[in-house]
Amino acid sequence: KTATNPYALSILKSIDANSNSYSEKRSARNALGMSEIGRGNSEKAIEYLGPLEEIQSGEEIARTFNFACAVWAAEKSPPTDLLAKALNLNDDTPDECDGVNYAMCMALCTKALKLDVDAVEWIAAAHRQIRNERTSIFSPWRFSFIEHNELLTDLEEIKQWIGDNGPGPRFSR
């Protein structure tokens, strides 16, 4: 699992504990949840990203996807209802997609929902977007920031998984 900067975690926890702003708290809790997935602490991630009732009634694609991944990591099986909700909140097509991370997230959703043709299109979109990425990027495959060369590794692993020739997401192993 990935290491997280303890100073960043401390700041996010402070915002969560002390802020009176709902949006600041929600943003901090989302970042904490994502960090906990990457660290292998799925139950803590669920706590930060939830509760389930808010996810089910909400309209936030990133929060829905991240919560679904936390549940996936905890249960070692993709929660298809939550991933379908995240996919339904999506407004883009692979050709309209703006960003490697987003395309990777949609590839994970579609593959988990057994929409393999769509998953192939989304991972192809991620490959097309690579040229736009010059700095580290957040990978939903492992729930951590990675460099460009690691991104290529993640995309190859996702392609293998889509083709049923590799294990599922690193965050869920």
Side-chain angles (χ1 to χ4, degrees), residues 78-138:
T80 54
D81 58 334
L82 294 170
L83 292 167
K85 179 175 175 64
L87 188 60
N88 289 333
L89 291 170
N90 167 52
D91 290 332
D92 289 336
T93 67
D95 290 333
E96 299 169 334
C97 169
D98 184 28
V100 175
N101 171 278
Y102 192 87
M104 291 171 74
C105 292
M106 292 298 101
L108 294 179
C109 282
T110 51
K111 170 57 181 172
L113 296 169
K114 301 185 184 339
L115 303 170
D116 291 5
V117 171
D118 293 340
V120 168
E121 290 179 20
W122 280 109
I123 208 62
H127 272 285
R128 288 191 300 273
Q129 294 290 328
I130 288 177
R131 66 184 173 279
N132 299 331
E133 302 295 340
R134 298 288 177 245
T135 60
S136 64
I137 184 169
F138 191 83

Side-chain angles (χ1 to χ4, degrees), residues 19-162:
S19 177
N20 291 323
S21 165
Y22 176 81
S23 63
E24 280 182 6
K25 284 178 93 68
R26 175 67 8 240
S27 180
R29 292 180 72 78
N30 189 57
L32 285 164
M34 292 168 63
S35 173
E36 294 297 347
I37 294 169
R39 295 174 64 206
N41 300 326
S42 53
E43 295 298 333
K44 192 70 173 169
I46 290 169
E47 181 183 322
Y48 281 128
L49 294 165
L52 175 61
E53 297 75 25
E54 283 185 19
I55 301 299
Q56 291 172 326
S57 64
E59 299 293 320
E60 298 172 63
I61 188 170
R63 184 176 176 200
T64 302
F65 175 80
N66 293 335
F67 186 86
C69 290
V71 171
W72 188 344
E75 297 178 357
K76 304 299 182 211
S77 177
T80 54
D81 58 334
L82 294 170
L83 292 167
K85 179 175 175 64
L87 188 60
N88 289 333
L89 291 170
N90 167 52
D91 290 332
D92 289 336
T93 67
D95 290 333
E96 299 169 334
C97 169
D98 184 28
V100 175
N101 171 278
Y102 192 87
M104 291 171 74
C105 292
M106 292 298 101
L108 294 179
C109 282
T110 51
K111 170 57 181 172
L113 296 169
K114 301 185 184 339
L115 303 170
D116 291 5
V117 171
D118 293 340
V120 168
E121 290 179 20
W122 280 109
I123 208 62
H127 272 285
R128 288 191 300 273
Q129 294 290 328
I130 288 177
R131 66 184 173 279
N132 299 331
E133 302 295 340
R134 298 288 177 245
T135 60
S136 64
I137 184 169
F138 191 83
S139 170
W141 185 246
R142 56 177 94 187
F143 268 77
S144 67
F145 282 94
I146 59 174
E147 298 302 322
H148 192 267
N149 63 325
E150 294 174 298
L151 176 61
L152 294 172
T153 299
D154 282 11
L155 291 175
E156 185 56 36
E157 288 180 9
I158 294 170
K159 280 175 56 177
Q160 293 295 315
W161 177 56
I162 290 170

